[in-house]
Structure formats: structure tokens, C-alpha cells
Amino acid sequence: MSKLLKDWTPSKAAVDVIKLNGIDDEHIAKTVEYLKKETELNNIDDLDGYDNWNSFFIIFCIKAHNNVSSE
């Protein structure tokens, strides 16, 4: 598993968990693109409390979806 964001793609298991929360493929793809192109995130070791990108992505994607949906 890659520690660098640029080399990471969400695992099938991570995508399945996200979909269980009612989030579609389009939102998942947009969130991946946002993380890779619009943030300064680089290495998972730089994020306190996370040891892999999939765990971070699940939480990030669900929170992002909830924030967009509530507007």
C-alpha cells in the first residue's frame, strides 16, 4: 500500500463502505480528484490518526458528501 497520495487509488473495500453510506461513483471519483489535485496532502504519515489512505478517504468522502448534501 502506497504512503504517497499520488500513487494511491481507493480499494474496492473502501469504495464499498462509502457506497453503503449512499454515496455514488461520481461523488467518489470527484473526491479522489479533489484530494489529489486540490489539496497539499502528500504522505499518509503526515496525517495524525491515520495509517493508510483508505481509512482517511472513507471518513473524508462521507464528511464531504454530508457537507455538500446539507447545503
Side-chain angles (χ1 to χ4, degrees):
M1 187 174 301
S2 177
K3 290 189 173 240
L4 298 178
L5 179 59
K6 67 180 180 125
D7 298 332
W8 166 84
T9 57
S11 69
K12 180 181 179 335
V15 170
D16 289 345
V17 169
I18 294 167
K19 285 183 177 182
L20 286 173
N21 285 276
I23 301 170
D24 62 22
D25 290 327
E26 181 182 0
H27 182 79
I28 293 169
K30 286 181 180 180
T31 305
V32 170
E33 184 176 341
Y34 176 83
L35 281 174
K36 289 187 173 192
K37 295 182 178 178
E38 303 295 328
T39 69
E40 294 182 15
L41 298 173
N42 182 33
N43 190 313
I44 193 64
D45 291 337
D46 297 335
L47 294 172
D48 290 336
Y50 295 97
D51 61 355
N52 67 72
W53 285 112
N54 285 318
S55 60
F56 173 78
F57 182 67
I58 290 168
I59 300 300
F60 185 87
C61 191
I62 292 169
K63 285 185 175 185
H65 178 73
N66 289 341
N67 287 340
V68 169
S69 297
S70 65
E71 291 180 353

